[in-house]
Amino acid sequence: MTAPAPAARRAPRRTAAALLTAALVAASTSCTGPAPARTGPAPTRTATAPTRTDDGAWRGAWAASPQPPSAGNWSERGFADHTLRQVVRLTAGGTEVRIELSNRYGTTPLRIAGATVARPAEGAAVRPGSVRTLTFGKRPSATIPVGGTLLSDGLPLTVRPFESLTVTLRPAGPTGPATVHRMASATGYRAAGDHRGDVSGGAFTETGTSWYYLTGVEVTGGPDAHRRDGVVAFGDSLTDGHGSTLDADRRYPDRLAERLAALGRPRPVLNHGISGNKVVRHGGGAGEKALDRFAPDALDERGVGTVLVLEGINDIGGRLRPDVTVDELIAGHRELVRQAHARGLKAVGATLVPFKGSVHHTPENEAQRDAFNTWMRTSGTYDAVIDLDRALADPADPDRLLPAYDSGDHLHPSDAGYRAMAEAVDPDAL
């Protein structure tokens, strides 16, 4: 959905912040300078992951952005004599699969003793006869250097869109702190000892809700082998799916992939959201700022034609004051668009959703959000704009989420809200 012509735009709906909003927009719409300089601590990775060049007909079918180790999961201590079992749902099909593993935030080389893929059953169990061993350079084991990324060899296996795949990893521990995707909105499993070939899930007695080391599943073959129309959904917790139902695949990128398929216009949708992520400031456990992670996480994905960016609420949503000005945030978005266009990709932006009543909301932050959204709608910087602000707002109080779309914290959508986000995306804009 592109922005309407100026004559058709709705009149401003607020007056309390109107003067500040107008002043900020006037200053920011002329901002064409470079992205703000890095502030805060440098990224913790010690090497740059290899660029994922578009080799052959491989294309992304599932993805998760890596994050540094953090509290509240298994990543701080890492793994020693453990087996990890993780279930992911693909949004593209093919006749051959391979996985991507990341040691971006490891402090020592990551040794993988072995890995398998299988078709899932209940919980950590897999379907009998479906376990297949993965290889790396024709060998069953591999070592990933600090900061590095590794692709497995391709494995003949026919998979369909929206089919799930169970990936089992056996690190040759102790690993030290582990690269993680903190908020999976999916259950993962851990077992003591080597259980990579188990059909039963009985040994996997520990559960968590993060992904470890696994950052991608790619496919090739099948009728869509040479299509390059995948969509990367890039952003923060609203893309990551905070507040959605566990193990239900109800994040907005999941819903978008389902909607496109139902319309007869199927396209892979890869989720590169990180909860707490910011555009122009580093966020500690929330990962490197968007300006730094955009290329390795999103633009280097194979088979992609469009990036859909929804990010900025954490930049302006400081509890006491905004972390950045709207000028800085807009400059950051201009740089994201420049990077996407330099790769020949379409850049689609989204307005920031209502957040009145949340811990982020203040009159100043509201004015910043209004100014940014006005810029998003009117500047023409992005190739198309998805107006999630208006799609999710309560008509009785447009600064708030519609109650049916509110997960309860007045910032993150419910399952119904994530569906509404997907329905607000015009397929012609992608």
Side-chain angles (χ1 to χ4, degrees):
M1 178 169 59
T2 56
R9 289 189 188 102
R10 186 173 62 181
R13 63 180 185 235
R14 307 172 181 93
T15 58
L19 292 177
L20 176 58
T21 298
L24 290 169
V25 171
S28 60
T29 52
S30 63
C31 180
T32 57
R38 173 178 294 173
T39 60
T44 56
R45 59 178 169 181
T46 57
T48 301
T51 298
R52 290 171 285 186
T53 54
D54 196 0
D55 54 337
W58 289 97
R59 60 197 183 279
W62 174 87
S65 289
Q67 296 175 244
S70 58
N73 53 57
W74 301 325
S75 65
E76 282 192 309
R77 297 184 63 181
F79 305 97
D81 192 27
H82 290 113
T83 302
L84 300 172
R85 185 159 278 184
Q86 303 173 92
V87 184
V88 300
R89 190 178 73 150
L90 312 182
T91 58
T95 57
E96 196 171 348
V97 302
R98 66 184 182 185
I99 68 169
E100 179 188 78
L101 302 175
S102 175
N103 192 27
R104 183 184 293 184
Y105 298 104
T107 57
T108 60
L110 172 63
R111 293 181 298 127
I112 300 294
T116 63
V117 296
R119 302 189 190 277
E122 187 71 22
V126 299
R127 287 166 52 183
S130 72
V131 178
R132 307 286 300 278
T133 298
L134 290 166
T135 58
F136 305 88
K138 308 302 181 184
R139 298 181 178 182
S141 60
T143 299
I144 309 174
V146 172
T149 297
L150 178 68
L151 284 165
S152 73
D153 299 326
L155 176 70
L157 180 68
T158 297
V159 293
R160 298 181 300 275
F162 309 115
E163 183 176 1
S164 293
L165 196 66
T166 296
V167 179
T168 305
L169 301 176
R170 169 67 171 165
T175 65
T179 297
V180 65
H181 182 86
R182 188 172 57 194
M183 201 195 73
S185 296
T187 302
Y189 306 89
R190 183 168 75 168
D194 186 355
H195 296 278
R196 72 189 96 160
D198 285 18
V199 172
S200 166
F204 293 88
T205 57
E206 296 180 86
T207 61
T209 55
S210 299
W211 283 307
Y212 302 90
Y213 305 123
L214 183 65
T215 52
V217 177
E218 297 183 349
V219 298
T220 190
D224 298 327
H226 296 285
R227 291 176 61 175
R228 292 292 177 268
D229 61 354
V231 178
V232 168
F234 185 86
D236 49 35
S237 56
L238 276 74
T239 299
D240 211 4
H242 183 95
S244 64
T245 299
L246 183 70
D247 294 323
D249 297 307
R250 292 178 182 171
R251 315 162 194 87
Y252 107 78
D254 298 308
R255 295 299 203 182
L256 177 58
E258 293 169 357
R259 178 167 177 258
L260 293 172
L263 291 172
R265 305 172 65 172
R267 297 173 68 172
V269 180
L270 306 177
N271 190 332
H272 275 292
I274 292 181
S275 294
N277 197 234
K278 299 178 181 181
V279 176
V280 298
R281 295 285 188 272
H282 291 295
E288 297 168 38
K289 62 185 179 182
L291 289 170
D292 286 349
R293 75 180 187 90
F294 194 48
D297 286 359
L299 304 184
D300 288 347
E301 282 285 3
R302 297 176 185 84
V304 166
T306 301
V307 288
L308 200 171
V309 180
L310 167 61
E311 189 155 6
I313 204 73
N314 294 312
D315 294 79
I316 67 173
R319 295 192 182 196
L320 299 178
R321 60 180 179 81
D323 283 352
V324 301
T325 67
V326 73
D327 290 357
E328 293 176 288
L329 180 58
I330 288 170
H333 274 264
R334 288 187 186 276
E335 172 60 16
L336 295 179
V337 173
R338 187 201 66 77
Q339 290 184 32
H341 286 171
R343 298 290 190 95
L345 301 180
K346 188 173 186 178
V348 179
T351 55
L352 302 180
V353 304
F355 70 147
K356 186 177 179 180
S358 76
V359 295
H360 288 316
H361 189 268
T362 67
E364 182 182 6
N365 291 354
E366 184 62 58
Q368 296 266 40
R369 186 181 76 91
D370 281 349
F372 176 82
N373 284 350
T374 299
W375 170 83
M376 178 67 76
R377 295 182 182 109
T378 61
S379 72
T381 300
Y382 278 93
D383 298 311
V385 173
I386 310 302
D387 203 335
L388 297 180
D389 174 27
R390 291 173 178 168
L392 270 64
D394 183 350
D397 187 352
D399 292 341
R400 289 183 180 272
L401 291 171
L402 187 73
Y405 295 160
D406 190 343
S407 67
D409 66 3
H410 311 302
L411 172 63
H412 298 97
S414 62
D415 289 350
Y418 285 124
R419 179 187 288 274
M421 289 172 64
E423 291 174 348
V425 178
D426 180 355
D428 290 333
L430 298 177

